Amino acid sequence: RMWSLIILLLFICACNVHGGTSYCKLTKTGCSGESREFIEVTGDSNPFGNLNGGKSSRPTFTDLDGDYDFDLVVGSESGIKYFENVGTITSPTFNEKTGKDNPFDNMGLYSSPVFFDTDGDNDVDLIVGDGADFEKDGVFDYFENVGNVSVPTFVKRNGTSNPYRNLRSHVP
Protein backbone atom coordinates (compact mmCIF):
# COMPACT_ATOMS: atom_id res chain seq x y z
CA ARG A 1 0.00 0.00 0.00
CA MET A 2 1.04 3.55 -0.60
CA TRP A 3 0.68 5.89 2.32
CA SER A 4 0.90 9.64 2.26
CA LEU A 5 2.33 11.37 5.25
CA ILE A 6 2.72 15.06 5.93
CA ILE A 7 4.97 16.02 8.79
CA LEU A 8 4.96 19.53 10.14
CA LEU A 9 8.20 20.69 11.63
CA LEU A 10 8.26 23.97 13.46
CA PHE A 11 11.54 25.61 12.73
CA ILE A 12 12.27 28.95 14.31
CA CYS A 13 15.38 30.70 13.09
CA ALA A 14 17.15 31.25 16.37
CA CYS A 15 20.16 33.04 14.95
CA ASN A 16 18.35 36.00 13.39
CA VAL A 17 19.98 39.00 15.06
CA HIS A 18 17.01 41.20 14.16
CA GLY A 19 14.61 39.10 16.24
CA GLY A 20 12.61 37.94 13.22
CA THR A 21 10.87 34.60 13.33
CA SER A 22 10.52 32.14 10.48
CA TYR A 23 8.32 29.07 10.21
CA CYS A 24 9.10 26.25 7.83
CA LYS A 25 7.07 23.20 6.97
CA LEU A 26 8.74 19.89 6.16
CA THR A 27 6.70 17.81 3.78
CA LYS A 28 7.28 14.13 3.17
CA THR A 29 5.17 12.16 0.75
CA GLY A 30 5.11 8.47 -0.09
CA CYS A 31 5.93 5.63 2.27
CA SER A 32 9.62 5.61 1.36
CA GLY A 33 9.93 9.39 1.65
CA GLU A 34 10.80 10.04 -2.00
CA SER A 35 10.17 13.75 -1.70
CA ARG A 36 11.22 15.97 1.20
CA GLU A 37 11.64 19.69 1.34
CA PHE A 38 11.44 22.63 3.69
CA ILE A 39 9.09 25.32 2.54
CA GLU A 40 9.03 28.68 4.30
CA VAL A 41 5.52 29.70 5.31
CA THR A 42 5.01 33.45 5.07
CA GLY A 43 2.33 36.09 5.62
CA ASP A 44 -0.84 35.27 7.52
CA SER A 45 -0.10 31.52 7.29
CA ASN A 46 2.95 31.91 9.56
CA PRO A 47 1.72 31.64 13.18
CA PHE A 48 5.03 33.16 14.38
CA GLY A 49 5.15 36.04 11.89
CA ASN A 50 4.27 38.78 14.37
CA LEU A 51 6.30 37.40 17.30
CA ASN A 52 9.65 38.71 18.43
CA GLY A 53 11.60 36.15 20.43
CA GLY A 54 14.51 38.54 20.87
CA LYS A 55 18.18 38.25 19.97
CA SER A 56 19.84 34.85 20.35
CA SER A 57 16.45 33.20 20.82
CA ARG A 58 16.13 29.57 21.89
CA PRO A 59 12.54 28.36 21.46
CA THR A 60 10.83 25.41 23.09
CA PHE A 61 7.23 24.24 23.26
CA THR A 62 5.23 22.89 26.19
CA ASP A 63 1.62 22.97 27.41
CA LEU A 64 1.81 25.43 30.31
CA ASP A 65 -1.90 26.03 30.83
CA GLY A 66 -3.30 22.49 30.59
CA ASP A 67 -5.41 23.12 27.48
CA TYR A 68 -3.77 20.38 25.36
CA ASP A 69 -2.01 22.68 22.90
CA PHE A 70 1.59 23.83 22.81
CA ASP A 71 2.60 27.19 24.20
CA LEU A 72 5.86 28.82 23.10
CA VAL A 73 8.62 29.68 25.57
CA VAL A 74 11.68 31.49 24.24
CA GLY A 75 14.98 32.02 26.03
CA SER A 76 16.93 35.01 24.76
CA GLU A 77 19.61 37.44 25.83
CA SER A 78 16.97 39.53 27.62
CA GLY A 79 15.31 36.68 29.55
CA ILE A 80 12.52 34.18 29.03
CA LYS A 81 9.46 35.16 27.01
CA TYR A 82 6.15 33.30 27.19
CA PHE A 83 3.69 33.17 24.30
CA GLU A 84 0.41 31.46 25.22
CA ASN A 85 -1.29 29.53 22.43
CA VAL A 86 -4.86 30.82 22.50
CA GLY A 87 -5.67 28.98 19.27
CA THR A 88 -5.62 25.23 18.82
CA ILE A 89 -2.91 22.64 18.30
CA THR A 90 -3.60 22.64 14.54
CA SER A 91 -4.25 26.37 14.16
CA PRO A 92 -2.10 28.14 16.77
CA THR A 93 -2.40 31.80 17.72
CA PHE A 94 0.23 33.09 20.12
CA ASN A 95 -0.18 36.00 22.55
CA GLU A 96 2.83 37.25 24.50
CA LYS A 97 2.37 37.32 28.27
CA THR A 98 4.39 39.94 30.13
CA GLY A 99 4.95 41.11 33.71
CA LYS A 100 3.05 39.11 36.33
CA ASP A 101 1.29 37.13 33.55
CA ASN A 102 4.67 35.69 32.50
CA PRO A 103 5.69 32.99 35.01
CA PHE A 104 9.30 33.48 33.83
CA ASP A 105 9.48 37.25 34.33
CA ASN A 106 12.94 38.36 35.52
CA MET A 107 14.64 34.98 35.17
CA GLY A 108 17.29 33.56 32.91
CA LEU A 109 19.24 36.11 30.88
CA TYR A 110 20.88 34.42 27.88
CA SER A 111 18.90 31.35 28.85
CA SER A 112 18.05 28.05 27.19
CA PRO A 113 14.82 26.77 28.80
CA VAL A 114 13.84 23.09 28.77
CA PHE A 115 10.73 21.57 30.38
CA PHE A 116 10.71 18.15 32.02
CA ASP A 117 8.78 16.56 34.89
CA THR A 118 11.86 16.20 37.08
CA ASP A 119 10.02 15.33 40.30
CA GLY A 120 7.45 12.95 38.76
CA ASP A 121 4.35 14.87 39.90
CA ASN A 122 2.78 15.10 36.41
CA ASP A 123 3.53 18.77 35.75
CA VAL A 124 6.48 20.28 33.92
CA ASP A 125 9.43 21.74 35.79
CA LEU A 126 11.90 24.15 34.23
CA ILE A 127 15.59 23.57 33.68
CA VAL A 128 17.47 26.64 32.46
CA GLY A 129 20.97 26.77 31.04
CA ASP A 130 22.19 30.13 32.34
CA GLY A 131 24.79 31.99 30.33
CA ALA A 132 24.41 35.49 31.79
CA ASP A 133 26.87 35.18 34.65
CA PHE A 134 30.35 34.29 33.42
CA GLU A 135 31.22 32.89 36.84
CA LYS A 136 28.18 30.59 36.56
CA ASP A 137 28.30 30.04 32.80
CA GLY A 138 27.17 26.52 31.97
CA VAL A 139 25.29 25.93 35.23
CA PHE A 140 21.79 24.47 35.08
CA ASP A 141 19.22 26.23 37.25
CA TYR A 142 16.20 24.16 38.35
CA PHE A 143 12.76 25.68 38.92
CA GLU A 144 10.28 23.25 40.43
CA ASN A 145 6.66 23.70 39.41
CA VAL A 146 4.87 23.82 42.76
CA GLY A 147 1.62 24.81 41.04
CA ASN A 148 -0.24 22.41 38.81
CA VAL A 149 -0.73 21.49 35.15
CA SER A 150 -3.08 24.43 34.48
CA VAL A 151 -1.53 27.12 36.70
CA PRO A 152 2.23 26.67 37.00
CA THR A 153 4.24 28.33 39.76
CA PHE A 154 7.99 27.98 39.39
CA VAL A 155 10.28 28.10 42.45
CA LYS A 156 14.06 28.07 42.09
CA ARG A 157 15.74 25.22 43.95
CA ASN A 158 19.35 25.63 45.08
CA GLY A 159 22.01 23.40 46.60
CA THR A 160 21.01 19.80 47.15
CA SER A 161 17.42 20.64 46.12
CA ASN A 162 18.69 21.14 42.56
CA PRO A 163 19.23 17.69 41.01
CA TYR A 164 21.19 19.33 38.16
CA ARG A 165 23.63 21.22 40.43
CA ASN A 166 26.69 19.19 39.42
CA LEU A 167 26.07 19.31 35.66
CA ARG A 168 27.66 21.85 33.32
CA SER A 169 26.82 22.50 29.70
CA HIS A 170 30.51 22.99 28.94
CA VAL A 171 33.88 23.15 30.61
CA PRO A 172 35.21 26.76 30.92
Side-chain angles (χ1 to χ4, degrees), residues 17-84:
V17 295
H18 302 294
T21 306
S22 297
Y23 167 66
C24 298
K25 179 170 93 171
L26 172 65
T27 59
K28 176 181 172 187
T29 56
C31 54
S32 63
E34 300 87 14
S35 172
R36 293 182 191 153
E37 65 181 317
F38 283 99
I39 301 169
E40 183 173 9
V41 179
T42 60
D44 292 338
S45 297
N46 178 355
F48 309 106
N50 294 324
L51 304 182
N52 185 343
K55 291 182 180 179
S56 302
S57 60
R58 293 165 200 87
T60 190
F61 293 89
T62 191
D63 183 10
L64 280 178
D65 51 7
D67 61 355
Y68 302 102
D69 62 22
F70 291 102
D71 304 302
L72 172 62
V73 179
V74 181
S76 72
E77 69 179 30
S78 60
I80 300 177
K81 294 185 175 191
Y82 170 42
F83 299 90
E84 180 184 7

Side-chain angles (χ1 to χ4, degrees), residues 52-124:
N52 185 343
K55 291 182 180 179
S56 302
S57 60
R58 293 165 200 87
T60 190
F61 293 89
T62 191
D63 183 10
L64 280 178
D65 51 7
D67 61 355
Y68 302 102
D69 62 22
F70 291 102
D71 304 302
L72 172 62
V73 179
V74 181
S76 72
E77 69 179 30
S78 60
I80 300 177
K81 294 185 175 191
Y82 170 42
F83 299 90
E84 180 184 7
N85 182 356
V86 295
T88 65
I89 198 163
T90 57
S91 183
T93 302
F94 295 96
N95 288 344
E96 184 174 6
K97 298 295 184 176
T98 59
K100 65 179 179 64
D101 293 327
N102 177 358
F104 316 108
D105 195 37
N106 295 318
M107 81 169 64
L109 298 177
Y110 292 93
S111 62
S112 298
V114 173
F115 293 91
F116 180 74
D117 184 11
T118 299
D119 55 7
D121 63 353
N122 297 317
D123 60 24
V124 292

